[in-house]
Structure formats: structure tokens, C-alpha cells
Amino acid sequence: MPAAFEDTEPDLISLRSYDGPPSPGTAPLFRAARDADAEMGFSAPDPSFSRSPARYLTAEVRTLLHRWTTAAPSAPVLAAVVTARELGSSLWAVDIVVDPQFRSMGVATAVFETVGADLSSLPAPFGTIHGATFVGCSYGSHPASGRLARRFGAQFGGRRDRLLLPSRSDYAASRMARDPQPPFVATTDAGRDTGTPSVWRHFAESDATDTRLCITDADGSVAGHVRVGLTDEPHRAGLLRLDATTDSRDRSVGVVRTAIEHLWARGAVSIETSVDATDATTLDVLRSAAFQHDRSDALFVLGQPMSAGRCV
């Protein structure tokens, strides 16, 4: 374990920060949060979608706060974990995960009141990233996380819509399934991703094994790339992620249709996807396949302004 720095607020919170990802001792907290937030799509960042961070910083938050129905702890207990992952030059993704049993108790607010409106004022090593831009995701656009972000100076940076295709029967009745279907072919593609990466990929789920597909048309020309995956039983949900926007709506339809049929063939019961809320063409294509709006995630930015959909 690397050297850590302790900063204590008596009777409120204590912060233990260090270089590197969260320590093994935080695993129970993340498991509890993942179970509680399953419907919001919470999970650790997907390594197949995120570049390995050049640097990872962690602050463990312990507190003496407790509910009136429980006995006061004799010593501070782990209540939350703050992480910062380096995405690029002066760009970091920040997450704060609060143990479900400590939620609605002001733990996250106390952390930000301690550090102020600048995350770099956290104890070392966080203090070494002064002047950077920080991005964070409010899963499900949770009102409390949005209020907290705005309270401490973060600006709304964009929204992604999470869409659900409930079943094969819904798809079979859709406009996409009924329209003429020119042949497109899907082949596994291990090549490098093309195009400018979206900042949203740094907040993707990691509960499925993903495969990158290359979709070609009848002439053998590349129509687009997608990533597909399946969650575990008992409900095998297919995950569909478009790598880049295609050059026409017709080709987008072919790419989406081929990916959907690929997931049905692999045993998917339903299919989930997400798209930047400003991408009207892709949203229209997905709706034509009977995808329904499930929820939306909000992006917040603290520091220098940046494009919501792009990560440089």
C-alpha cells in the first residue's frame, strides 16, 4: 500500500488519501453500493472502454455520524470513497461512492464542505492536480447528486439517454424490423477504436464481456462499429454501444439492426444502450427499433469548460 495522508475533522469525517486505486478493504462498500444502485447502472468503470489511467487517486472517508436508531461507533467507520482517474492532460474523472447505510446523512456534503469548491484542495496526493478539469456522472440524474455538484461550483455538461428494448416481440413489431432489410454482416474486430472518444465511455458499465464488431454492407464496405455484450443470468440483458456515428441514417439502421440480431442470436432477453441526448439521428434510429427511454445520466464539469460529448 502506498504512503497515505491523514486529515481529520473530529466528530465529523476523516480523509485518508493515497496514490492508486481503492484498497482491498473498500470492496464491501463497492459491493453494497453496486447492489443498491443496480437500477441506476452503477458499476466500476469498464476497462475495455476506458484507457488505463495514467494515474489513480483515492480518498477513503470515515465518519462518526450514525442514525439515531443505531449505536454510535467507537471509532470512525468507512462511509464513502472518493476516486479520481486521469483521463488525459489536466482531465480527471471523479467519483464519490457512499455506503448505502450512510446515505441521506450529509456524508458527501461534509466531504465537499471540507475540501471546498476545488477538489485539488484535498490532502496530498489530490493537491498535486491543482488547475485540472474534473468530470463526474450523476447516474439516473439523481437530484441529490445534481444539487451537490451545483452547490460546489460544477456546471452541467451534458446528458446521455439510457434506452431499453424490452423484448424480441417488441422489436418484431417495430418499424425497423418491418422495413426492407438489405444484408449487413457482423464480424469480430479486434482493431483500434476510430474517431474521437466520447467522455461517456469513462462511465460505462463493467458487468458484461464486450466484443467489438465490424459491420459491413453488401459491397463489403464498412458501415460502422459497435460493441456488444451480455450480462449474467438469470436475465441476460444485451448491451449495445455504438463506437461512432455512421455517415448516413440508412447505414446507421443497418448497423443497429445487425447488432440487435447478433444479440438475439446470443441469447439476449432484452437490450440496453445509451446515446448522447444531442444525437438526434441515433435516437431516431433506436426508437425505430422500439427502444424506449429508461432514464438519463447527467454530466457535470468542474474547472475549465469542455465539450460534453468529447474527451480530449
Side-chain angles (χ1 to χ4, degrees), residues 199-286:
V199 69
W200 289 114
R201 70 170 47 194
H202 298 290
F203 301 100
E205 296 87 346
S206 63
D207 55 357
T209 300
D210 294 276
T211 301
R212 185 171 186 259
L213 300 178
C214 176
I215 311 297
T216 55
D217 60 20
D219 297 328
S221 300
V222 175
H225 294 84
V226 296
R227 286 188 182 272
V228 294
L230 287 171
T231 61
D232 295 332
E233 298 283 8
H235 183 94
R236 291 184 67 79
L239 302 182
L240 167 61
R241 302 182 181 98
L242 301 173
D243 273 9
T245 303
T246 58
D247 56 7
S248 74
R249 187 186 186 284
D250 288 344
R251 291 168 78 81
S252 291
V253 169
V255 169
V256 171
R257 175 191 289 127
T258 305
I260 289 173
E261 293 174 349
H262 176 88
L263 285 167
W264 294 147
R266 290 183 60 191
V269 175
S270 63
I271 300 176
E272 301 172 11
T273 190
S274 62
V275 62
D276 191 287
T278 62
D279 190 347
T281 298
T282 302
L283 282 168
D284 178 63
V285 168
L286 292 168

Side-chain angles (χ1 to χ4, degrees), residues 23-194:
S23 67
T26 64
L29 182 149
F30 282 97
R31 284 196 297 269
R34 182 171 291 108
D35 291 343
D37 298 333
E39 293 302 318
M40 292 294 102
F42 169 84
S43 66
D46 185 340
S48 69
F49 277 77
S50 303
R51 291 171 294 172
S52 298
R55 195 175 181 194
Y56 213 133
L57 308 177
T58 301
E60 297 178 7
V61 182
R62 286 174 170 76
T63 185
L64 289 170
L65 292 171
H66 64 99
R67 300 189 187 280
W68 68 271
T69 54
T70 61
S74 59
V77 296
L78 182 66
V81 177
V82 181
T83 58
R85 294 174 285 120
E86 188 175 17
L87 307 181
S89 177
S90 297
L91 180 63
W92 295 73
V94 173
D95 292 284
I96 179 166
V97 180
V98 181
D99 189 306
Q101 65 180 321
F102 288 100
R103 293 180 182 178
S104 300
M105 295 178 61
V107 171
T109 301
V111 171
F112 283 93
E113 285 179 342
T114 299
V115 304
D118 184 355
L119 293 179
S120 65
S121 64
L122 272 166
F126 280 81
T128 64
I129 54 177
H130 178 73
T133 297
F134 304 95
V135 293
C137 178
S138 171
Y139 294 97
S141 299
H142 194 286
S145 62
R147 287 194 298 269
L148 183 66
R150 287 187 290 268
R151 178 177 176 181
F152 293 98
Q155 302 296 315
F156 176 76
R159 190 184 82 227
R160 69 174 173 185
D161 290 334
R162 310 289 290 275
L163 307 177
L164 172 67
L165 178 53
S167 67
R168 296 188 70 163
S169 59
D170 287 284
Y171 174 70
S174 71
R175 175 160 46 97
M176 179 180 288
R178 295 194 309 267
D179 286 345
Q181 302 181 23
F184 280 69
V185 178
T187 56
T188 302
D189 182 5
R192 298 183 61 183
D193 292 345
T194 58

